[in-house]
Amino acid sequence: MLIFTSSHSFLIFFFTIFLLYSTSGISIHVHSSHLPVDVEELVEDSKANTTLVLARERTRRIDIFNHFEYYNGGWNISNHGYIMSVVSTAIPFFVVAAIWFVVFGILNILCMCYHCCYGDPYGHSQLAYYVSLIFLILCTIATIGGCILLYSSEQKVHGTTSNTMKYVVSQVEFTNENLKNVSNYLDSAKKISIELGLPRDIDKGIHSVQKKIMVTSNDLSKKTRNTSKMLHNGSEGMRLALITVAISMVIVSILGFLTTILGLKCILYSLVVAGWILVAGTFILSGAFVLLHNVIGDTCVAMDEWALNPTTHTAMDETIPCMKNERVRETLLQSKSIVFHLVNSINDIISNDLNGNTISHNQSAPNVPLLCNPFNSDFTIRHCAAEEVAFENASEVWKSYTPSENDNMIGLMTPSLYRQLTTIVNVSYGLYHYGPFLVDLIDCTFVRKMFIDINNNYCPGLNKYTKHIYWALVVVSVAVMLSLIFWIVYERHLHHRHYIILS
């Protein structure tokens, strides 16, 4: 029971790392080197009538619990049929464990009863004696080899899961950093909007975006803590179970071989009882890892197919509650509106106070170039005019229009005004820069890219090494099971051989 529980904990961990994290707000890197960015492309309309069955071919397997019918519903952890079809793959191992435990136990009881009632049938076969010895040696070698493979594969699974977790944590840290930056820019934008007397809707829009960011950030932190704790418990439980099995099987196998050869009957039968229980537990653990291997394989295929089909409806949509397109557009429009009005406020200051026909304006001074607004009034992408400056070089260009503190030139940008405008530019650019990031965070684009990375870099290793683990467990189980039989056979023939020689 302890072994099965440990493996089950690791199964829960796997679901958590790929599913709970996907609901929490893990980000991907936003490439900001190309501006302006048409973020409208990030939120294309969904094809509501299209449904994709994830991992259809891989998950098509016989469901023992459904009259041995094939399951055809694809990957769907909320579907009882899918869960039962995966559990069905482990049932043969659980059945073998039960049969072994019952049958071997009954046969041992019958043999002991026969021995007590009728004594030993003194017969000896030279062929049976040597054959049992050869098989005993081979089974012992197979047990040791299987345990070595088991330990090696467990180390590789642990390393792969650790690397996967490090990747996820790096995404969490990157996201938290971006969320902090966005929050800081929004705080600055709120202060600026009050100072400039911008429309009240702008302040409401800033508050709305900040609220969504706070919810996402809090959810991210909570899920990260929960998943990390479950990861640690599940991973350590799995390691303890596998290492315990490997060490126990090696010790029992070697001691059983030695006590059989030496004819230590009492110790041998104690080891037979221990091996009998261990074999049953190892078969159960084998079944648990077959189940785990299939879940990992199914989930990896499902993640890949879901990531490559962003406009279709799938079972993954129920697991990952991404924001609907309407809310994505609303958030996007709010962030665009903030940037649009901030840039317009800068250009109003430049046009009216610096380039305008006022008394303080020096007509001989050149006009200060306007800042390029990346959006039109309807918030579509706008291309910069030739005389406008972009976010990236506005501060540098305007600096040439700013006299020093002791310069009494009239009509140019004062140092204090220059600092005010560059502050607004930095805030506007920051919000514009993080606009795609916010959309990715909300509409699950980041999850799709993360799933692709996990599927390409970590899934192959997890599939390979979990398969090695359950095959190693099967080899060890069968080898020890046969060893128990040959221990008894060889010990009886050794006892009869000594009786014949003495007589």
Side-chain angles (χ1 to χ4, degrees):
M1 182 59 69
L2 174 62
I3 295 173
F4 180 75
T5 303
S6 301
S7 181
H8 185 66
S9 299
F10 185 66
L11 176 60
I12 294 174
F13 146 67
F14 184 81
F15 272 115
T16 304
I17 191 172
F18 288 104
L19 302 177
L20 288 185
Y21 258 102
S22 62
T23 68
S24 60
I26 305 160
S27 167
I28 44 83
H29 294 272
V30 180
H31 300 286
S32 59
S33 57
H34 303 289
L35 290 172
V37 179
D38 188 0
V39 291
E40 288 288 354
E41 296 177 358
L42 299 172
V43 287
E44 295 179 351
D45 290 331
S46 298
K47 300 177 182 177
N49 296 327
T50 304
T51 301
L52 174 66
V53 178
L54 298 174
R56 182 195 293 271
E57 293 301 320
R58 178 180 171 84
T59 58
R60 190 175 186 272
R61 52 176 69 97
I62 293 176
D63 183 359
I64 296 176
F65 302 96
N66 188 28
H67 310 292
F68 291 88
E69 297 288 337
Y70 276 95
Y71 171 76
N72 295 303
W75 182 93
N76 187 350
I77 61 169
S78 62
N79 187 322
H80 181 264
Y82 170 72
I83 299 298
M84 291 299 98
S85 70
V86 177
V87 173
S88 295
T89 62
I91 292 298
F93 294 89
F94 300 153
V95 171
V96 170
I99 292 174
W100 160 258
F101 192 82
V102 172
V103 172
F104 189 78
I106 292 174
L107 289 177
N108 267 328
I109 294 173
L110 293 176
C111 287
M112 285 189 291
C113 292
Y114 183 88
H115 176 74
C116 293
C117 296
Y118 301 101
D120 285 329
Y122 292 105
H124 173 64
S125 169
Q126 195 77 4
L127 178 61
Y129 172 80
Y130 286 110
V131 168
S132 60
L133 177 60
I134 292 172
F135 274 99
L136 189 57
I137 295 171
L138 292 176
C139 288
T140 304
I141 295 173
T143 301
I144 296 172
C147 288
I148 293 173
L149 176 62
L150 178 61
Y151 180 79
S152 173
S153 300
E154 184 278 324
Q155 293 294 312
K156 291 176 181 177
V157 167
H158 180 72
T160 304
T161 53
S162 296
N163 291 335
T164 306
M165 191 59 190
K166 288 178 182 177
Y167 166 74
V168 172
V169 169
S170 70
Q171 298 301 292
V172 172
E173 292 175 348
F174 178 78
T175 300
N176 273 327
E177 185 66 27
N178 279 351
L179 288 175
K180 290 178 182 177
N181 292 338
V182 173
S183 183
N184 292 335
Y185 280 122
L186 288 172
D187 284 334
S188 299
K190 185 181 292 187
K191 295 177 183 177
I192 291 172
S193 68
I194 295 173
E195 293 174 0
L196 298 177
L198 296 181
R200 192 172 180 182
D201 291 343
I202 300 301
D203 187 62
K204 289 182 178 179
I206 293 173
H207 179 73
S208 176
V209 175
Q210 275 190 311
K211 185 177 179 180
K212 291 182 176 70
I213 289 175
M214 289 178 62
V215 170
T216 302
S217 181
N218 292 336
D219 190 49
L220 170 62
S221 300
K222 180 180 178 181
K223 293 289 177 61
T224 302
R225 288 193 300 269
N226 293 341
T227 305
S228 298
K229 183 177 180 180
M230 193 170 290
L231 165 65
H232 177 76
N233 294 338
S235 181
E236 291 304 314
M238 181 204 71
R239 295 192 74 188
L240 178 62
L242 293 179
I243 292 174
T244 300
V245 167
I247 294 175
S248 300
M249 287 300 202
V250 168
I251 292 175
V252 168
S253 181
I254 293 176
L255 289 179
F257 177 78
L258 294 176
T259 53
T260 303
I261 297 298
L262 298 174
L264 304 176
K265 197 170 184 178
C266 293
I267 299 176
L268 176 62
Y269 279 100
S270 298
L271 292 172
V272 167
V273 173
W276 168 50
I277 298 172
L278 277 173
V279 168
T282 307
F283 270 121
I284 292 174
L285 191 57
S286 301
F289 267 90
V290 168
L291 190 155
L292 175 61
H293 173 75
N294 287 326
V295 169
I296 289 175
D298 295 348
T299 305
C300 287
V301 172
M303 287 193 306
D304 188 49
E305 292 182 0
W306 180 78
L308 297 177
N309 295 275
T311 60
T312 56
H313 173 69
T314 67
M316 192 76 74
D317 299 339
E318 301 174 8
T319 306
I320 304 176
C322 301
M323 186 178 289
K324 294 181 179 179
N325 259 5
E326 292 77 11
R327 294 190 64 191
V328 173
R329 291 185 183 278
E330 178 188 351
T331 303
L332 181 61
L333 288 175
Q334 287 170 349
S335 63
K336 284 183 175 182
S337 176
I338 297 169
V339 174
F340 176 80
H341 285 91
L342 287 178
V343 174
N344 275 351
S345 68
I346 292 175
N347 289 335
D348 287 342
I349 293 173
I350 293 175
S351 298
N352 297 329
D353 297 346
L354 298 179
N355 298 340
N357 198 10
T358 62
I359 296 176
S360 62
H361 180 58
N362 185 353
Q363 299 296 326
S364 63
N367 285 338
V368 177
L370 300 177
L371 179 64
C372 173
N373 198 323
F375 305 118
N376 294 307
S377 58
D378 60 353
F379 305 124
T380 57
I381 295 298
R382 175 183 176 273
H383 298 288
C384 298
E387 66 276 8
E388 295 177 331
V389 292
F391 285 123
E392 297 91 337
N393 61 349
S395 300
E396 196 66 30
V397 172
W398 290 342
K399 192 173 185 179
S400 61
Y401 293 85
T402 306
S404 63
E405 295 286 351
N406 299 322
D407 199 331
N408 294 321
M409 292 179 63
I410 301 176
L412 294 178
M413 189 182 301
T414 63
S416 61
L417 181 59
Y418 170 77
R419 287 191 292 269
Q420 182 184 9
L421 293 183
T422 52
T423 299
I424 303 175
V425 168
N426 290 335
V427 172
S428 303
Y429 174 72
L431 294 176
Y432 178 69
H433 166 68
Y434 285 107
F437 163 76
L438 290 176
V439 175
D440 281 354
L441 194 66
I442 295 171
D443 74 353
C444 284
T445 299
F446 70 96
V447 180
R448 298 182 189 278
K449 293 183 179 181
M450 187 184 70
F451 277 7
I452 291 174
D453 288 342
I454 291 175
N455 188 68
N456 291 338
N457 300 324
Y458 304 106
C459 279
L462 286 172
N463 273 305
K464 178 181 178 181
Y465 301 133
T466 52
K467 185 176 183 179
H468 288 176
I469 285 178
Y470 82 71
W471 274 116
L473 288 169
V474 170
V475 170
V476 171
S477 301
V478 173
V480 175
M481 180 177 66
L482 294 176
S483 293
L484 296 179
I485 297 172
F486 286 115
W487 288 349
I488 297 172
V489 172
Y490 182 80
E491 190 278 329
R492 291 295 172 87
H493 281 283
L494 181 64
H495 179 71
H496 298 163
R497 181 185 177 90
H498 289 165
Y499 176 80
I500 293 172
I501 292 174
L502 293 175
S503 60

